[in-house]
Amino acid sequence: MLAVVCIAAALLALWCLLLLPRRGQPGWEAIGRARYAHRGLHDASRPENSLSAFRAAAERGLGAELDVHLMADGALAVVHDSSLERVCGKRAAIEDLTAAELDSYPLLGSGEAIPLLGEVLAVFAGGPPLVIELKAERGNAAALTDAVMAQLAGWQGTYCIESFHPAVLLRLRQRYPEVLRGQLSQNFLRGSEVPGLPWLARAAMTCLLTSVFTRPDFIAYNCKDRARPSLRLMKRLYGVHEVAWTIRDRQTLETLEREGVTPIFEGFVP
């Protein structure tokens, strides 16, 4: 019996160690008190991740969450999917295109082109903060991170960076420690979220077990899954900051804010 207790205690200690975040990094106050429009304040007339959606958010004093991909020529495109079939109706991968080709891939429902990161930064310079999600593809986590940080150098604005890919956070920790970094996650154990991802990787991502290596400042978790034990333990044990996505009604947003959670919302104007 004693052996069982000792093994259980050792496993619990290891679990707690693996969840270790970074604490006390300056700058969270400006990030944590804002509300963030998911992919901009988009609706039927303003496509997601479009300049019009970002302008609409900034004009209302709202922060924005956006997604960044590295293109073939080193440019940084603001679009959610690697495949452009859903948002542009054309079969192409954003990583295979150059900035000069973006005019040939207008966002559906508008004449707007996919914006570049610099264009979005210009909208928010001196204004509300940004949550910038890095979409690593094809093993380009380091190159993507370096390109984004080069673009942000000297920018007069407030931002943090998040990613599902731990390699992005590891790059930030090693080369850009001054930047607030966040681990994106959700319950990947449902299996349908990332087809083909091995079970062990899905379990590690769900349970935030890479935290000891990447030391995130905050955890951005799917609001439907925020009862997961690892997130609750990180909050209770270490007081890690929580960002919740994607909130789709005002009541949930206000409830989470009362709990100290930073909201990323969509589908309404708070």
Side-chain angles (χ1 to χ4, degrees):
M1 185 63 179
L2 179 59
V4 173
V5 172
C6 290
I7 291 171
L11 290 174
L12 178 60
L14 177 60
W15 184 23
C16 293
L17 175 64
L18 291 173
L19 297 179
L20 185 66
R22 178 168 68 167
R23 292 183 286 178
Q25 179 68 7
W28 178 255
E29 295 75 14
I31 296 293
R33 64 171 175 255
R35 293 170 170 175
Y36 296 90
H38 187 233
R39 307 177 196 172
L41 198 63
H42 60 91
D43 57 21
S45 64
R46 297 187 296 263
E48 65 176 61
N49 277 321
S50 65
L51 281 179
S52 61
F54 292 124
R55 290 189 186 108
E59 288 167 1
R60 291 167 173 80
L62 296 166
E65 181 268 354
L66 61 135
D67 311 282
V68 181
H69 287 259
L70 182 63
M71 302 180 70
D73 61 350
L76 295 164
V78 176
V79 64
H80 183 269
D81 306 344
S82 177
S83 168
L84 299 183
E85 192 162 3
R86 179 180 67 87
V87 295
C88 297
K90 295 185 178 183
R91 292 188 177 182
I94 192 67
E95 285 79 16
D96 294 330
L97 302 181
T98 65
E101 296 175 282
L102 288 181
D103 286 341
S104 300
Y105 294 84
L107 295 167
L108 290 176
S110 77
E112 293 191 66
I114 294 169
L116 297 174
L117 177 59
E119 296 175 302
V120 179
L121 294 180
V123 172
F124 287 88
L130 293 175
V131 174
I132 302 173
E133 179 182 347
L134 303 197
K135 293 285 193 177
E137 300 282 348
R138 306 177 186 178
N140 71 358
L144 170 63
T145 306
D146 290 345
V148 169
M149 292 311 305
Q151 180 85 74
L152 288 166
W155 179 60
Q156 299 301 308
T158 303
Y159 70 93
C160 62
I161 293 181
E162 64 179 14
S163 183
F164 281 104
H165 205 308
V168 169
L169 273 70
L170 190 59
R171 188 72 166 186
L172 290 170
R173 181 184 180 187
Q174 293 170 340
R175 296 226 176 165
Y176 313 98
E178 73 282 1
V179 175
L180 286 165
R181 55 184 183 259
Q183 180 65 60
L184 271 159
S185 192
Q186 61 183 41
N187 181 11
F188 289 103
L189 296 175
R190 287 189 291 264
S192 60
E193 303 293 347
V194 185
L197 191 68
W199 183 89
L200 189 61
R202 287 191 278 117
M205 291 171 67
T206 299
C207 298
L208 305 168
L209 300 183
T210 61
S211 296
V212 69
F213 306 108
T214 60
R215 302 295 294 274
D217 298 294
F218 65 95
I219 303 297
Y221 221 87
N222 189 326
C223 65
K224 297 182 295 185
D225 300 327
R226 56 188 301 268
R228 297 297 305 180
S230 285
L231 176 61
R232 296 177 67 180
L233 185 57
M234 284 186 81
K235 293 183 67 177
R236 181 178 293 272
L237 193 61
Y238 301 118
V240 72
H241 303 297
E242 181 186 358
V243 175
W245 58 273
T246 301
I247 299 162
R248 291 185 165 83
D249 65 87
R250 185 174 289 101
Q251 181 178 352
T252 301
L253 182 146
E254 293 174 352
T255 298
L256 290 176
E257 283 185 325
R258 286 194 291 271
E259 296 180 22
V261 178
T262 300
I264 297 175
F265 68 91
E266 181 179 88
F268 67 99
V269 181

